[in-house]
Structure formats: C-alpha cells, structure tokens
Amino acid sequence: TEYGNGGWAEFVGPNVDPIDYPDALTYHIDNVVSVAAGQFASFAIDEDHVLWGWGGNLFGQLPGMEPRQGGVIKVMEGVRSVSPSSQTCLAIKEDGSLWAWGPNLEPTRIMDDICSAQGTFALAEDGTLSWWRYRDIVDGTFKPKKVAGNVKTFSAGYSNLVLVKQSGEFLFMDFGNEM
C-alpha cells in the first residue's frame, strides 16, 4: 500500500487506520518477500525474485513508465535486493551483479560480485567498499573509487558514510558537498 497523494510523503502514525485514509492506494503483488521505498517510487521483490515498482516516477525510477502514470510494473527478474534513493535505484541480482537506473539511464549493469549497495556505494563480496558519481554512469566514464577495504557492513546518507570493518572498527566519514 502506498499512502499519500503522489506529492511529498506524509507521516502515517500508529494511531491512523489506513483503511480510513482517504488517499490510500492499494496494489496487489503475490508472495512479496521484501519492500523498499524511495522518494518517488517504491518496490517489492516477490519469492520468484521479480522486482515490481510503483509510484510517481518523477526521475525515471520506473523504467518504461511515464511520470505519474500510476499502477505497478515489472522492473526486472532475478533480483536479490533493491535500494531506491530520491532519483536513482540500485538492484543486486542473484548472480551478484549490480544494476543502476534513473534519470537518463535505463537499467545498466555496472558492477559484479556485490553483496550490498546503497546510494552511490557498493560493497563487494571481498569486503571492498566503492563509490562513484551517478553522472559517470550516464556519460560512460564510470570508474568506481575504492573507499575502504575489509568492510563488513555500511550505511550511506546524503553526504556521509558509516561503516564497520571486519576487525570491528567503526568509521564515520563526512563528505560535505564533495559527493
């Protein structure tokens, strides 16, 4: 279920009954195992690893759908996880390949052997954390830069990064406007 009127997100608290919410949209996707919400698109992965999407699609997060078209579309198959942001999306397929799409970019395979990804960061199975600029994918100059090695897990914000190394060391990086 997506709440709101297609504009900015609205808070739906524990005391609000979604059935009585006047702008509620209801979509049905069978056998959903995970969901993820971005600013203008939301996603679900079903038990057959099919990635489904819906939402406002203002920046091309839903390939093949017009902005504000509405409805649910099949985005791609073989998906293990998805990470939408405000304008772009990343998906990791079952084979470990990382796919990116968004403004001016159809789904494009950009990396391999990836175990997690968020924003413009990806963690490879060997513990290497890499970063890139989205525009580098669009203009064909994509070359991810190594941020750190021996990384166990991470989380990326708008201009910062928190990571935990295999040793247990905890690091916080603030990139300011450099990203």
Side-chain angles (χ1 to χ4, degrees), residues 32 65 68 86:
V32 170
M65 182 182 271
R68 300 187 186 276
S86 62

Side-chain angles (χ1 to χ4, degrees), residues 34-62:
S34 69
V35 294
Q39 186 173 1
F40 296 110
S42 298
F43 298 88
I45 300 172
D46 69 21
E47 66 184 15
D48 294 321
H49 304 278
V50 175
L51 178 63
W52 300 91
W54 64 94
N57 193 38
L58 297 181
F59 296 103
Q61 302 95 326
L62 301 169

Side-chain angles (χ1 to χ4, degrees), residues 13-143:
N15 298 323
V16 176
D17 184 353
I19 295 171
D20 295 331
Y21 196 73
D23 293 332
L25 299 174
T26 303
Y27 299 117
H28 181 83
I29 301 168
D30 290 327
N31 306 310
V32 170
V33 295
S34 69
V35 294
Q39 186 173 1
F40 296 110
S42 298
F43 298 88
I45 300 172
D46 69 21
E47 66 184 15
D48 294 321
H49 304 278
V50 175
L51 178 63
W52 300 91
W54 64 94
N57 193 38
L58 297 181
F59 296 103
Q61 302 95 326
L62 301 169
M65 182 182 271
E66 294 296 318
R68 300 187 186 276
Q69 178 178 329
V72 176
I73 64 161
K74 181 179 180 179
V75 178
M76 64 177 56
E77 297 179 351
V79 176
R80 180 172 58 195
S81 66
V82 64
S83 178
S85 64
S86 62
Q87 297 183 19
T88 62
C89 295
L90 299 173
I92 300 173
K93 288 198 168 189
E94 294 175 288
D95 64 3
S97 61
L98 178 62
W99 293 71
W101 66 93
N104 303 313
L105 183 68
E106 290 297 311
T108 302
R109 185 179 189 149
I110 61 171
M111 296 177 81
D112 291 306
D113 302 319
I114 301 301
C115 58
S116 67
Q118 185 181 17
T120 56
F121 291 88
L123 180 59
E125 292 173 5
D126 69 0
T128 301
L129 183 65
S130 299
W131 169 83
W132 63 89
R133 287 189 169 99
Y134 178 76
R135 68 177 173 250
D136 295 342
I137 301 170
V138 175
D139 70 18
T141 61
F142 178 72
K143 289 186 177 142

